[in-house]
Amino acid sequence: MTADPQKNPIWERLELGRRSKAAQGGYAGYGSPAFGEKSVNGNLVADEKEQRVIELIRRHHKSGKSLQQIANWMNTQGYKTKRGRDWQRISVKRVLDRLYGKTPRMSGSVSDQPASKAEDETQV
């Protein structure tokens, strides 16, 4: 971080401050922590209540339920997102992405995909 704040725009100083905080093991994030975590005294720690919800989502996903089915079940059981909203399939996907890593939108291999648009139209 440079000593002269006049040479760095505000956004640059904020970014440098976040990096410095992260290098020291702290949390100076970009909004609220991810579902399943919370900030305590500038450090990320597991939120036990949300961790139990993540485990429920994981089990339902492993049992073969779709993202929408999981979201619907979460809502009927009264579970809410970190911001107190109803679950949507995208919020379930984000939890699973953080748990397992990003997943592609389309399933199947390249060989499962039609070779051309004309071939695709003949299959309709």
Side-chain angles (χ1 to χ4, degrees):
M1 213 167 170
T2 62
D4 186 5
Q6 305 251 329
K7 290 187 178 185
N8 286 339
I10 292 172
W11 64 269
E12 247 181 58
R13 292 194 317 266
L14 289 171
E15 180 63 26
L16 289 171
R18 287 185 187 106
R19 287 184 189 170
S20 174
K21 178 85 171 180
Q24 297 168 20
Y27 175 73
Y30 301 89
S32 63
F35 192 82
E37 298 177 330
K38 61 184 176 181
S39 177
V40 176
N41 297 324
N43 294 308
L44 284 180
V45 296
D47 183 318
E48 293 304 319
K49 181 181 174 189
E50 291 179 0
Q51 289 293 324
R52 288 190 294 272
V53 173
I54 290 172
E55 180 59 22
L56 287 171
I57 291 171
R58 186 194 67 76
R59 281 194 271 157
H60 282 279
H61 183 253
K62 288 287 186 184
S63 75
K65 289 185 179 165
S66 71
L67 300 176
Q68 188 62 58
Q69 288 172 324
I70 297 169
N72 292 344
W73 184 86
M74 299 291 287
N75 293 330
T76 60
Q77 298 302 309
Y79 291 102
K80 298 290 182 186
T81 65
K82 183 178 278 290
R83 294 188 176 163
R85 296 188 176 145
D86 283 344
W87 285 89
Q88 304 291 322
R89 66 178 173 260
I90 189 65
S91 45
V92 172
K93 182 181 184 315
R94 287 179 181 138
V95 168
L96 292 170
D97 282 350
R98 282 191 297 276
L99 195 59
Y100 300 124
K102 298 265 184 197
T103 55
R105 282 189 83 175
M106 296 181 70
S107 61
S109 66
V110 174
S111 62
D112 292 341
Q113 303 300 320
S116 69
K117 185 175 179 182
E119 182 181 321
D120 188 32
E121 289 172 354
T122 61
Q123 294 178 1
V124 175

